Amino acid sequence: MSTTIAAEPVSWPSAPAAAAWGKQSVPTRVGLALAADPEHISTARRQVTAHLRCWDLDHLVDDATLITSELVTNAVLYGQAETIMVHIAKCGTATDPQLLITVTDECPAEAMPEVASPASSDEHGRGLYILQCLASRWGTATGHGGKLVWATLSVNAPEHDPETSAA
């Protein structure tokens, strides 16, 4: 799997794209404001899980909650904000549907996240590497006094097989 790092996230779904997903009564995007507190990392995971199940995207729950957890953890630890925003959205096209996960905080632009290469004995520093391995695309953007980190998961991608991906 290749990861594309871009400056801007995939766009929110258009009305035709949202209609292609079915379930008109279910919102195609959800926002969650959380206090920048480590206790709310699990809240973000629970909320993402609940919405993905509502959208019949159960097969993405593990990857999406891990990505959410890593992004929210980074925002809580380094975001310099009282509140962080988590958004999930259905986006893409009917033939290439995507799940978009974004986390925003008030971290200054000069503190943009970078993928690290931690030593095997390091306890931290693997979050963006995990994101890079799981997401079909990811990136960062700045604006409005803070940063946004985003990732997409392909809805139609085969699930990860721990037997074959360990190599």
Side-chain angles (χ1 to χ4, degrees):
M1 173 193 318
S2 66
T3 300
T4 303
I5 302 173
E8 296 295 328
V10 180
S11 63
W12 295 112
S14 64
W21 279 71
K23 288 197 175 186
Q24 292 296 326
S25 63
V26 178
T28 58
R29 61 181 164 184
V30 175
L32 176 64
L34 298 170
D37 184 316
E39 291 184 21
H40 292 292
I41 298 166
S42 62
T43 302
R45 285 192 305 263
R46 283 192 305 275
Q47 289 294 316
V48 167
T49 297
H51 288 289
L52 291 182
R53 290 199 170 128
C54 181
W55 291 342
D56 294 325
L57 297 177
D58 298 56
H59 65 288
L60 296 180
V61 166
D62 290 341
D63 289 350
T65 55
L66 183 53
I67 287 171
T68 301
S69 182
E70 294 300 333
L71 294 180
V72 171
T73 298
N74 283 350
V76 167
L77 294 177
Y78 308 112
Q80 304 172 359
E82 291 183 22
T83 304
I84 58 172
M85 290 296 301
V86 178
H87 286 95
I88 58 172
K90 297 176 180 182
C91 62
T93 65
T95 57
D96 185 25
Q98 301 281 316
L99 175 71
L100 173 65
I101 303 166
T102 68
V103 175
T104 57
D105 61 43
E106 296 172 3
C107 189
E110 60 271 5
M112 296 303 279
E114 295 180 14
V115 178
S117 298
S120 60
S121 60
D122 290 347
E123 293 183 18
H124 302 285
R126 292 175 183 77
L128 291 178
Y129 177 75
I130 291 169
L131 172 72
Q132 187 175 30
C133 291
L134 295 177
S136 51
R137 295 177 59 197
W138 77 277
T140 61
T142 59
H144 304 297
K147 77 169 184 321
L148 174 138
V149 183
W150 62 271
T152 60
L153 289 171
S154 177
V155 171
N156 297 331
E159 293 184 57
H160 299 287
D161 182 358
E163 297 295 321
T164 59
S165 61

